[in-house]
Amino acid sequence: MDTPVLEARAVQKHLRKAPRKVRLVVDAVRGKSVEKAIKRLEYTKKATAEDVIKVIKSAAANLRDKFQEERFDDEDLYIKEIYVDEGVTLKRIQPAPMGRAHRINKRSCHITVKVAKRDQESVNE
């Protein structure tokens, strides 16, 4: 019989930060264990690091909630998938000289994190 896939996900939608800036932070933790990712993000100077930590912790909590009969530590879990999609762009107008107007795009993004349990044979590598 197939064993259930031990993974869960969390999504942060409509985060009012530009996706390009969030991707810089997300790329730093892709594939790492949850514990190492959170430690690394705590010492990152980017403002979006706190938002990414929140989503990672939420995904880990979702996994623990989904499979309550098993015990998971942050060292056992790793970030299987993490990506940033573009959200809704709010279009605003900035008055400019000589009766003109410049457009300002206020971008947003969606962060998606999938967390899974690391296999025992891949831990030793």
Side-chain angles (χ1 to χ4, degrees):
M1 286 295 188
D2 292 329
T3 58
V5 180
L6 298 176
E7 69 177 36
R9 72 181 197 139
V11 180
Q12 163 72 54
K13 289 193 167 196
H14 306 292
L15 181 66
R16 268 287 296 119
K17 307 246 165 109
R20 184 174 174 182
K21 294 178 181 182
V22 179
R23 282 187 191 113
L24 291 172
V25 176
V26 163
D27 290 341
V29 295
R30 186 172 284 120
K32 295 194 181 328
S33 74
V34 170
E35 184 183 38
K36 286 182 182 177
I38 290 171
K39 286 284 184 210
R40 176 152 186 181
L41 290 173
E42 283 174 351
Y43 294 102
T44 302
K45 287 187 176 181
K46 300 282 185 186
T48 61
E50 291 177 16
D51 299 312
V52 176
I53 287 173
K54 253 180 158 177
V55 182
I56 292 171
K57 284 183 177 179
S58 177
N62 289 346
L63 184 70
R64 289 187 186 98
D65 195 40
K66 192 174 177 182
F67 302 100
Q68 291 180 352
E69 64 278 354
E70 294 202 36
R71 175 139 173 77
F72 299 107
D73 292 325
D74 282 347
E75 306 94 46
D76 302 337
L77 306 177
Y78 76 103
I79 299 172
K80 183 177 181 179
E81 222 178 285
I82 184 167
Y83 55 89
V84 179
D85 291 324
E86 206 169 304
V88 179
T89 301
L90 302 175
K91 292 158 181 98
R92 299 292 179 257
I93 292 175
Q94 175 76 37
M98 298 172 66
R100 295 192 187 110
H102 294 152
R103 177 183 259 166
I104 295 177
N105 292 326
K106 298 192 172 204
R107 301 181 189 279
S108 69
C109 65
H110 310 309
I111 305 172
T112 306
V113 179
K114 276 190 185 175
V115 172
K117 185 172 189 217
R118 195 176 294 274
D119 297 332
Q120 289 301 325
E121 54 269 3
S122 65
V123 169
N124 298 329
E125 294 175 3

